[in-house]
Amino acid sequence: YSTVQKKGRDSRRKADLKAIQNAMEQCYSLNNEYPTSLTGGSALTCGSETVMDSLPVDPKDGTDYIKSTLTTSAYTICADLEGDGTWNGSNCDCWVSSLQ
């Protein structure tokens, strides 16, 4: 049963990262720059437009996803996956980065 839970949370992490990537790219298309501040649970607003009502957080512990790069010209956001057997909340096993 715990393996199923881990796989479910890992699937959620991957979907969350893709949703964040889509929102970041939408911000870039609106403002020609990426936001430099992301806080889980808060809205992602670009200029006067809200592109995501609430940024997702890790489904296991409710912490923000890891932001290893977050500048106006680039970003890399990652998550630690449990299914690889080394989950500690700080490894980057799955990530998304800027497309521009």
Side-chain angles (χ1 to χ4, degrees):
Y1 180 71
S2 72
T3 300
V4 172
Q5 288 178 318
K6 289 177 184 179
K7 287 182 179 183
R9 286 189 295 263
D10 284 349
S11 292
R12 176 63 187 262
R13 288 178 182 102
K14 291 173 184 178
D16 285 350
L17 291 181
K18 188 64 180 168
I20 293 169
Q21 183 180 41
N22 289 338
M24 295 289 281
E25 295 304 322
Q26 188 174 359
C27 278
Y28 191 89
S29 71
L30 291 169
N31 295 333
N32 290 323
E33 63 182 30
Y34 295 111
T36 57
S37 176
L38 299 176
T39 303
S42 298
L44 178 56
T45 304
C46 303
S48 61
E49 181 138 0
T50 300
V51 296
M52 185 175 255
D53 290 331
S54 179
L55 282 161
V57 293
D58 188 271
K60 182 170 182 162
D61 57 14
T63 59
D64 286 351
Y65 287 107
I66 303 160
K67 298 167 276 289
S68 55
T69 305
L70 196 56
T71 69
T72 58
S73 60
Y75 66 88
T76 302
I77 303 166
C78 62
D80 184 12
L81 301 181
E82 294 176 76
D84 67 359
T86 60
W87 193 86
N88 65 13
S90 64
N91 290 333
C92 283
D93 299 319
C94 177
W95 60 89
V96 294
S97 57
S98 45
L99 299 176
Q100 303 300 321

